[in-house]
Amino acid sequence: GVLPVVKHMPGHGRAGVDSHKSLPVVDTPRADLERIDFAPFRALRQMPLGMTAHVVYTALDPGNPATTSAAIIRDIVRGTIGFDGLLMSDDLSMQALNGTLGERASASLAAGCDLALHCNGRMAEMEEVAAEVPVLSGKPLARSKAALARLTEPSAPVDTDSAYVKFSEWLATA
């Protein structure tokens, strides 16, 4: 009864800082990114939902993180990787991005994200973001409907007590 979200496109593994706190900059050549970093995303390109990375890739767009880079979203995420699912920004309230929350929302949508996410629950911030985003329509709406159409009912009810025990066992072995 849940859908997977492939994240953080086009890759976050080379980021040397936490994008919750500052903007990572990756100086890896494009050929290496395409051969190594993009491979898992190409393999998962048919998934219904994806999320961008608040990371600057100097070989792709030295001036913008992927979330606000039309070149990266168009040429890499939609092009090289071939992802055509619903693409959402990472949380706009993270410190990696510049500008007001409204400017961040507008920039992510202008770059090609279908949805602009704000996740910290602060009402004034949510209102600022909401004031800048349009009603879902066109290709983003079609992608949203296609993703939701992939939802299925669970084959059996979830036993949360049993799941918690199993989860605790996994954590104990990690």
Side-chain angles (χ1 to χ4, degrees), residues 30-101:
R30 181 177 178 140
D32 291 345
L33 292 170
E34 288 188 13
R35 185 174 48 83
I36 300 166
D37 300 60
F38 302 168
F41 298 106
R42 280 193 301 272
L44 297 170
R45 68 181 173 263
Q46 298 304 319
M47 291 290 105
L49 303 169
M51 180 182 286
T52 61
H54 297 337
V55 176
V56 169
Y57 306 88
T58 59
L60 306 176
D61 183 346
N64 297 290
T67 299
T68 59
S69 171
I72 292 175
I73 291 175
R74 179 190 62 243
D75 299 339
I76 303 301
V77 175
R78 300 294 188 192
T80 301
I81 291 171
F83 179 77
D84 194 38
L86 186 73
L87 186 65
M88 62 192 83
S89 72
D90 201 348
D91 181 6
L92 297 175
S93 65
M94 294 165 59
Q95 300 308 306
L97 301 179
N98 291 324
T100 67
L101 289 166

